């Protein structure tokens, strides 16, 4: 089941045992397809897992990414993942798992930025300036482009409802494009010095709702190490 749904055995085991987490609609749809649930059973799965019903129908013949795209992701030498318009992560490669051992497949990358506790804020350096602020500014533009996307609206509302910092940043009314080309710093497990990485993004042809995001390690500019 973990392989069929694109997550680790640990993550799926947590889900199967009823562990509380922000399970994405994309992940729950993959579970529904793998288990061949009918529509009533899919709704019941959603209600038990996240407390709300699916926001749209699911076509189990359309997984969102092809096997070729999945292999392309795995062959990247640097960390990479595929997410959708609502920032839900559909699949991550092994290199990403090395950088972020907890993983994000089946979760929402924006919610992970604002997750409770200091762990993410320690690993994502210059957290408010380079991560929290830009993420919300990107989501504001995404909502204007996709006002019909109920899942995106729910993610934004959830972040604003749980984070005072997010509410303060949201009131600044910043709007920016997605982070393609941005350079940011992360502190990797077992390392004392930060790593500078550049965010690069592409979309599979025929599915502009998905984005393949790669975190490419680069040399920082002179004087900014």
């Amino acid at each position: 089941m973990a392989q069929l749904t694109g997550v680790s055995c640990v993550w799926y085991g947590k889900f199967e045992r009823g562990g509380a987490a922000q399970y994405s609609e994309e992940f729950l749809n993959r579970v529904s397809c793998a288990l061949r649930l009918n529509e009533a059973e899919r709704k019941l799965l959603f209600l038990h897992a996240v407390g709300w019903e699916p926001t749209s129908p699911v076509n189990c013949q359309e997984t969102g990414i092809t096997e070729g795209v999945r292999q392309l992701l795995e062959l990247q030498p640097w960390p990479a993942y595929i997410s959708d318009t609502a920032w839900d992560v559909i699949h991550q490669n092994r290199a990403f798992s090395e950088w972020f051992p907890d993983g994000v497949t089946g979760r929402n990358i924006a919610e992970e930025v604002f997750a409770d506790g200091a762990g993410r804020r320690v690993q994502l350096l210059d957290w408010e300036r380079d991560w929290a602020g830009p993420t919300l500014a990107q989501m504001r533009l995404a909502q204007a482009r996709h006002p019909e996307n109920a899942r995106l609206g729910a993610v934004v509302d959830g972040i604003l409802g749980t984070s005072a910092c997010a509410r303060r940043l949201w009131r600044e009314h910043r709007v920016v494009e997605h982070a393609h080309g941005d350079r940011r710093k992360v502190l990797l497990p077992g390392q004392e010095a930060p790593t500078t990485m550049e965010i690069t993004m592409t979309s599979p042809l025929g599915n502009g709702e998905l984005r393949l995001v790669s975190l490419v390690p680069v040399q920082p500019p002179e004087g900014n190490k």
Side-chain angles (χ1 to χ4, degrees):
M1 280 298 298
Q3 291 178 342
L4 287 173
T5 54
V7 298
S8 70
C9 292
V10 172
W11 175 252
Y12 188 80
K14 178 182 178 181
F15 165 75
E16 199 169 56
R17 291 190 298 273
Q22 294 292 326
Y23 301 111
S24 72
E25 184 160 357
E26 176 66 31
F27 168 68
L28 294 176
N29 280 336
R30 293 200 303 274
V31 173
S32 300
C33 291
L35 294 175
R36 300 180 182 178
L37 302 183
N38 62 35
E39 187 59 21
E41 291 168 336
R42 183 170 76 105
K43 289 180 179 180
L44 186 62
L45 173 68
F46 271 70
L47 289 170
H48 279 307
V50 293
W52 40 269
E53 294 188 14
T55 62
S56 60
V58 63
N59 183 348
C60 292
Q61 302 304 315
E62 298 178 0
T63 60
I65 57 174
T66 66
E67 183 59 29
V69 172
R70 193 183 296 271
Q71 289 188 35
L72 177 65
L73 184 70
E74 288 296 342
L75 289 172
Q76 301 300 312
W78 42 73
Y81 63 89
I82 293 176
S83 62
D84 63 16
T85 307
W87 274 258
D88 286 329
V89 178
I90 298 172
H91 192 67
Q92 68 187 52
N93 65 4
R94 293 183 184 87
F96 191 96
S97 300
E98 292 174 0
W99 276 30
F100 303 96
D102 290 342
V104 292
T105 296
R107 288 184 274 178
N108 185 280
I109 198 73
E111 290 174 340
E112 287 297 304
V113 170
F114 287 92
D116 291 337
R120 291 293 187 215
R121 302 190 186 196
V122 170
Q123 193 170 14
L124 307 178
L125 302 184
D126 298 316
W127 177 80
E128 182 173 325
R129 184 193 69 189
D130 290 349
W131 297 91
T135 296
L136 287 175
Q138 293 156 18
M139 298 188 89
R140 185 184 291 277
L141 182 59
Q143 277 195 304
R145 285 174 170 162
H146 306 282
E148 78 294 341
N149 192 319
R151 171 59 181 161
L152 175 59
V155 171
V156 173
D157 290 344
I159 291 172
L160 297 178
T162 57
S163 171
C165 177
R167 292 192 293 273
R168 173 173 55 80
L169 293 170
W170 191 255
R171 289 194 293 269
E172 295 178 1
H173 296 282
R174 289 181 59 199
V175 180
V176 298
E177 288 282 2
H178 215 293
H180 179 71
D182 280 7
R183 291 193 175 191
R184 301 177 185 176
K185 294 179 180 179
V186 294
L187 189 62
L188 302 181
Q191 295 189 7
E192 297 181 359
T195 295
T196 299
M197 56 86 176
E198 181 173 303
I199 300 173
T200 64
M201 300 192 338
T202 58
S203 291
L205 286 174
N207 195 338
E209 299 299 307
L210 298 180
R211 48 198 177 224
L212 193 161
V213 183
S214 299
L215 311 180
V216 184
V218 295
Q219 290 295 325
E222 290 295 327
N224 189 30
K225 298 182 179 179

